Amino acid sequence: MAQLDQMLYANRTFAEGFDRGDLPMPPARSVAVLACMDARLHPEKFLGLEIGDAHVIRNAGGRASDDAIRSLIISSRLLGTREFVVVHHTDCGMLTFSNDDLRGKLAADTGGDASGIDFLPFSDLEQSVRDDVALIKASPFIDPDITVTGFVYDVKTGKLNAV
Ligand SMILES: [Zn+2]
């Protein structure tokens, strides 16, 4: 509970100074970011985004999973975003295992069968960005006029490199 207590303490301080309660729901910058959940990535900071500016969708790998695309459809069709940015990164954990590896571990740890789950690992970082940009663009529910750009974030330098 120590971590939770610390976070709740931080939230009390945050809320005491909070003055952005009147922001509209649609992102002010009309941008959606799809990024890996890696703890070393802080998309709002490395992209200069303030509260209310953008949708930031995160999952393991920053993959264009069905659920990420679900969020992007809602982001653009209902909340007006017009530009998507996909961010994968160096030293990603998704480079370190295969579906079979994780399924085997889960079977050993739990006895359960995870053969129906694609964990979306990848072995080629830049290709994974290209694949996800292409998947998003291929959705019939994403407006083809939306700009979709892919990047690799370097966890050593903090720099984004276009793919
Ligand atoms: Zn990652």
Side-chain angles (χ1 to χ4, degrees):
M1 286 298 284
Q3 289 298 329
L4 179 57
D5 288 342
Q6 285 185 35
M7 290 191 288
L8 292 175
Y9 179 80
N11 177 254
R12 281 196 294 276
T13 307
F14 174 79
E16 279 168 12
F18 192 72
D19 61 357
R20 311 303 302 275
D22 296 321
L23 295 172
M25 187 190 300
R29 306 262 297 263
S30 301
V31 171
V33 179
L34 172 59
C36 184
M37 68 184 186
D38 191 288
R40 295 166 294 180
L41 271 63
H42 200 320
E44 289 87 348
K45 283 192 177 168
F46 69 65
L47 294 171
L49 299 169
E50 299 295 333
I51 185 169
D53 276 352
H55 287 144
V56 180
I57 300 149
R58 302 190 66 172
N59 63 33
R63 302 306 319 262
S65 60
D66 289 349
D67 193 67
I69 289 176
R70 175 188 70 86
S71 294
L72 291 170
I73 292 168
I74 291 168
S75 174
S76 55
R77 293 286 174 181
L78 298 182
L79 292 161
T81 55
R82 301 298 302 162
E83 190 164 359
F84 298 161
V85 178
V86 176
V87 182
H88 297 184
H89 65 96
T90 58
D91 198 39
C92 186
M94 301 295 276
L95 290 157
T96 67
F97 68 94
S98 67
N99 268 323
D100 283 346
D101 292 339
L102 183 48
R103 287 168 184 156
K105 175 177 169 50
L106 290 167
D109 289 354
T110 74
D113 175 10
S115 61
I117 303 177
D118 185 350
F119 293 96
L120 304 175
F122 47 81
S123 55
D124 182 327
L125 179 56
E126 296 205 348
Q127 189 59 44
S128 73
V129 175
R130 285 186 211 102
D131 289 347
D132 284 348
V133 168
L135 262 178
I136 292 164
K137 286 181 172 173
S139 168
F141 305 114
I142 300 291
D143 184 339
D145 289 341
I146 290 178
T147 309
V148 187
T149 315
F151 295 88
V152 170
Y153 173 87
D154 187 328
V155 297
K156 296 278 190 220
T157 66
K159 190 174 182 334
L160 280 174
N161 295 298
V163 173

